[in-house]
Amino acid sequence: DIIWNTWAHISHGEAHLLRFELDECLESLNIARISASKVNNLYLKLVSETKTAYVLRLEGRFNEAYKICTTLLETFHADSSIEGFKIGLLSSIIYSIMGFILVEKNEIEEGIKFSLKGYELSRRVTSVSFKGYSALLLAESYYKAGDYKKALEIIEDLESILNKKVAQWLFVLAYSLKSKLHILRGEYDELETLYDQKIRTDKNHAFESYFYGIAKARYLLSDNKSNEAIDLLEKLSEGLKKDHANELLAEVELLQARAFYKKNKLNDAIEFVLKALQLAQDERLIRTFINEGEEIEILLKRIKKEKAMKSSAILDAISSEYVGQVLKAFDKEKIVKTIIEEESLTKRELETLKLIAEDYSNQDIANELFISKTTVKTHVRNILLKLEVKNRNDAVSRAKDKGII
């Protein structure tokens, strides 16, 4: 029975995925894809191929994943026997995957449009997996695009439809992304449960181990526990290399770079950025680097200088054109964020913020701008609210990160 045989191989592939045996997972899903084509069952074809696209993404093979999705869409639209409504429902997950990949490649406007389309289409289906995964991909797209507030709103919406017992793998992904967002937004009180999370590291819980582990490493870095973070990241890196999970491995290498940067070990930090570049350059990934912030930009600039001055096996393996492309994206990010923030901060608030950065007191600012001390306090309060920070020092730090000052 080809249909039941196909479902068996899909389930077999999922079991391998949750054990993070990615190559074995792809083997099983490939058999399912071939079987689904034999019986011309579009739903089975969709399930097997979208799961294949997800695993290819984990292996860092974004271009292959994107090609599978575009081919599926062409198949749906070419088959006149499928009603338009059904095409929409079947293609929801495809649009979501394609949107995420486009955002990763820094085609943000088009990517968000695709992700939103997939998300809206998924609202019409009853499947928790369809709804949950489309919501998750939209949240990830917003995160990659730097819109952390919207990403968190989508995650909270996702939690309302997820049941940990029904969709454990989606719950793990949602929890990990939510933790990342709280760190980026400086909401550290929300992360205490993560630090206490007992991560199961046996093979049957490998999927959870990696995603929770990376989230915990981020928490440790945010808490200035660089040594603990490095120990955890080393273990994760070893496993991810063995399992060929290059997307997560690139993220882990960049986190290690940040950890060593904090310890002022720049040579070690540069080495890890170079490793991440090797993993990402064939696929031309961009946002993976942008979202790790200023430290990575500084290290990339040093790499660019080193490539111009000397030759080595690892430096020569990195494309100068690709490094330039990533650095150009960093510059564009600053310009865009500056425009956004300067539009939300009034001229007076911006002037006040610049003086705060120069350690002016409220009275000094009042004297400099010829306004009352009470007005200065109002400006400071508005600045903290708009930049979503708790104090003046954090406001200056956030403003510098965003290129406002």
Side-chain angles (χ1 to χ4, degrees):
D1 188 316
I2 294 178
I3 290 178
W4 284 110
N5 184 272
T6 305
W7 278 118
H9 278 98
I10 289 171
S11 298
H12 190 240
E14 286 182 332
H16 279 302
L17 172 60
L18 295 174
R19 287 166 60 86
F20 234 74
E21 296 162 346
L22 302 186
D23 290 343
E24 293 89 338
C25 173
L26 286 173
E27 285 176 21
S28 290
L29 290 176
N30 191 49
I31 294 170
R33 290 168 68 192
I34 293 167
S35 298
S37 296
K38 282 180 182 176
V39 292
N40 198 28
N41 186 311
L42 278 177
Y43 183 73
L44 280 176
K45 187 177 174 69
L46 171 79
V47 173
S48 58
E49 297 208 356
T50 52
K51 286 182 184 297
T52 298
Y54 175 67
V55 180
L56 286 171
R57 175 197 144 184
L58 286 176
E59 287 202 343
R61 295 155 66 182
F62 280 64
N63 293 335
E64 287 179 65
Y66 192 84
K67 187 176 180 181
I68 284 174
C69 291
T70 53
T71 303
L72 266 178
L73 275 184
E74 287 166 8
T75 302
F76 289 160
H77 289 288
D79 191 334
S80 58
S81 66
I82 311 175
E83 296 171 24
F85 180 71
K86 287 182 181 176
I87 290 173
L89 298 185
L90 288 171
S91 58
S92 63
I93 201 77
I94 305 171
Y95 280 116
S96 298
I97 293 172
M98 291 170 71
F100 171 82
I101 292 173
L102 287 170
V103 172
E104 171 57 57
K105 290 176 178 288
N106 216 32
E107 297 176 36
I108 291 174
E109 188 175 345
E110 187 73 2
I112 293 294
K113 184 172 80 176
F114 271 52
S115 295
L116 277 169
K117 184 170 184 176
Y119 176 76
E120 287 160 4
L121 289 169
S122 74
R123 301 299 90 187
R124 305 176 191 173
V125 302
T126 56
S127 166
V128 172
S129 292
F130 268 75
K131 283 184 176 180
Y133 192 37
S134 293
L136 181 70
L137 284 165
L138 178 59
E140 285 189 328
S141 295
Y142 276 130
Y143 154 68
K144 288 281 185 180
D147 195 335
Y148 306 140
K149 185 179 179 182
K150 279 188 182 174
L152 202 53
E153 286 171 359
I154 297 296
I155 285 290
E156 285 166 356
D157 176 48
L158 170 60
E159 286 177 330
S160 68
I161 61 171
L162 275 187
N163 180 321
K164 188 174 180 179
K165 293 179 181 178
V166 173
Q168 171 68 8
W169 72 282
L170 277 173
F171 186 88
V172 170
L173 293 172
Y175 186 85
S176 300
L177 179 57
K178 189 176 182 181
S179 300
K180 191 185 296 187
L181 291 166
H182 281 312
I183 290 168
L184 288 164
R185 286 164 60 85
E187 297 162 350
Y188 300 110
D189 292 345
E190 306 286 344
L191 298 167
E192 292 303 321
T193 53
L194 173 65
Y195 192 68
D196 296 330
Q197 180 85 31
K198 289 182 170 56
I199 301 170
R200 295 171 291 190
T201 56
D202 58 284
K203 194 62 179 175
N204 271 342
H205 296 285
F207 187 90
E208 297 162 61
S209 175
Y210 284 129
F211 283 97
Y212 281 142
I214 292 170
K216 186 168 183 177
R218 285 186 177 280
Y219 176 81
L220 291 169
L221 273 177
S222 72
D223 203 26
N224 293 316
K225 295 176 179 175
S226 296
N227 289 335
E228 287 182 56
I230 287 168
D231 289 342
L232 177 53
L233 289 165
E234 281 179 0
K235 291 174 187 173
L236 292 168
S237 178
E238 287 172 14
L240 291 168
K241 283 174 190 170
K242 180 166 59 67
D243 292 317
H244 307 139
N246 287 342
E247 184 195 17
L248 293 182
L249 181 57
E251 182 179 355
V252 165
E253 303 291 33
L254 290 174
L255 288 173
Q256 288 186 93
R258 287 179 51 206
F260 280 105
Y261 184 90
K262 285 178 181 288
K263 290 166 66 67
N264 206 29
K265 294 185 176 181
L266 296 187
N267 289 336
D268 291 322
I270 286 171
E271 183 182 336
F272 283 110
V273 175
L274 286 168
K275 289 178 181 178
L277 286 167
Q278 281 185 305
L279 292 165
Q281 68 179 354
D282 287 346
E283 303 288 330
R284 287 299 193 262
L285 307 185
I286 301 292
R287 302 302 302 186
T288 291
F289 295 87
I290 303 293
N291 285 92
E292 297 304 335
E294 183 185 17
E295 296 155 331
I296 300 303
E297 182 187 14
I298 291 167
L299 294 169
L300 283 168
K301 285 179 177 177
R302 288 181 69 105
I303 288 168
K304 185 180 178 181
K305 283 183 181 177
E306 286 191 16
K307 277 184 67 63
M309 293 168 57
K310 63 183 182 182
S311 175
S312 71
I314 191 164
L315 280 171
D316 295 344
I318 302 302
S319 160
S320 297
E321 183 263 332
Y322 177 52
V323 173
Q325 186 183 0
V326 178
L327 284 171
K328 189 176 179 181
F330 267 107
D331 288 337
K332 183 181 177 183
E333 188 83 354
K334 288 177 191 170
I335 293 167
V336 171
K337 286 190 175 180
T338 299
I339 292 168
I340 291 169
E341 295 297 342
E342 286 188 349
E343 282 178 352
S344 64
L345 289 176
T346 66
K347 184 181 176 183
R348 269 293 194 229
E349 286 164 358
L350 189 58
E351 289 172 343
T352 302
L353 179 58
K354 288 176 179 176
L355 293 175
I356 290 171
E358 294 178 26
D359 288 328
Y360 275 52
S361 67
N362 284 352
Q363 188 59 61
D364 291 335
I365 294 169
N367 296 339
E368 182 73 18
L369 299 179
F370 302 101
I371 55 178
S372 72
K373 193 174 176 180
T374 301
T375 302
V376 172
K377 288 180 180 179
T378 300
H379 289 331
V380 171
R381 186 173 65 251
N382 290 340
I383 290 165
L384 298 184
L385 283 170
K386 289 179 181 181
L387 294 183
E388 300 179 333
V389 291
K390 295 179 180 178
N391 56 56
R392 293 159 65 107
N393 289 336
D394 286 347
V396 171
S397 178
R398 179 69 61 85
K400 285 181 177 178
D401 286 344
K402 291 179 177 293
I404 299 170
I405 58 174

